[in-house]
């Protein structure tokens, strides 16, 4: 009946013209990428390739402060809405804290938590995170007091974890440096001169500190013979005591306990 009515209508602009630029767009949920089947090596490769391509964009997003700017930037660069961005920003926060750039770390931390919230929202809706950008910013903008407090609590917790992790990294780095310095100090017998010096009786420590050969001879004479031999052997092995070349020739590796007694009269040389 409608077709019949249209055919019987007189021709005019309204009945013979058609819209040339009108169209309807229906947004479909973006399919979610499944990472559970990827190996650690594959995930690492994806991360490195992603960062090499998008590092500047990620840092730009990390330095944005206004919610509208963040939303617009992510909408224009949807490839950034992923776990790789969150991981990079979290690592950046850690490095900033280690470098004692505390204010900048706290600034970037907000973007980390925002990205984590978007990723969590995508899990709840079971869609790709790129489809949750508008939903997150709309929710955070109109959120009630409890939701905003929960966001702030997570932000505070994240910054606390970053600070704790940074302290552990710094402590580990200091230990590694100390171990390197210790290895450089190790004497010919594999002992640390600093540790050996601290283990010596106070009377012997004074001899090495003053480099007084006469005092050393006197102190050794006052010690028990076996105790003196043990201490002097440890001094030689650590490099605190450097025997004369003549003494070294007379001392064999198979009979270190019977070193020539002339070693205690050679000139002491403090390890640098």
């Amino acid at each position: 009946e409608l077709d019949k009515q249209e055919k019987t209508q007189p021709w005019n602009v309204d009945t013979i013209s058609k819209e040339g630029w009108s169209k309807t767009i229906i947004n479909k949920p973006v399919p979610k990428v499944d990472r559970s089947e990827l190996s650690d090596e594959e995930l690492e490769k994806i991360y490195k390739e992603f960062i090499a391509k998008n590092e500047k964009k990620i840092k730009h997003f990390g330095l944005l402060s206004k919610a509208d700017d963040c939303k617009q930037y992510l909408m224009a660069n949807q490839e950034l809405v992923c776990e790789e961005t969150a991981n990079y920003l979290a690592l950046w926060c850690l490095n900033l804290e280690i470098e004692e750039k505390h204010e900048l770390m706290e600034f970037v931390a907000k973007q980390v938590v925002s990205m984590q919230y978007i990723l969590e929202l995508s899990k709840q809706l079971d869609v790709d995170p790129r489809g949750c950008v508008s939903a997150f910013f709309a929710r955070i903008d109109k959120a009630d007091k409890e939701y905003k407090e929960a966001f702030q609590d997570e932000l505070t917790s994240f910054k606390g974890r970053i600070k704790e992790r940074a302290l552990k990294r710094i402590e580990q780095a200091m230990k590694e440096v100390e171990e390197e310095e210790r290895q450089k100090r190790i004497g010919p017998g594999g002992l640390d001169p600093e540790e050996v010096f601290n283990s010596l009786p106070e009377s012997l420590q004074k001899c090495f500190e003053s480099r007084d050969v006469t005092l050393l001879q006197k102190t050794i004479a006052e010690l028990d013979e076996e105790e003196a031999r043990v201490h002097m052997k440890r001094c030689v092995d650590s490099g605190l005591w450097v025997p004369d070349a003549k003494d070294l020739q007379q001392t064999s590796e198979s009979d270190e306990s019977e070193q020539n007694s002339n070693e205690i009269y050679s000139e002491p040389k403090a390890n640098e």
Side-chain angles (χ1 to χ4, degrees), residues 11 64 66-67 73 100-101 117 154 156 177 192 220 234:
W11 285 11
L64 294 176
K66 296 181 180 179
Y73 193 76
E100 299 185 354
K101 298 178 181 179
Y117 261 64
E154 177 57 30
T156 301
V177 171
D192 183 355
I220 289 295
R234 284 170 54 78

Side-chain angles (χ1 to χ4, degrees), residues 67 70-71 74 118 132-142:
C70 295
K71 176 184 176 181
L74 291 179
I118 294 174
C132 299
V133 175
S134 295
F136 165 73
F137 285 102
R139 178 177 294 187
I140 199 68
D141 181 52
K142 301 178 181 179

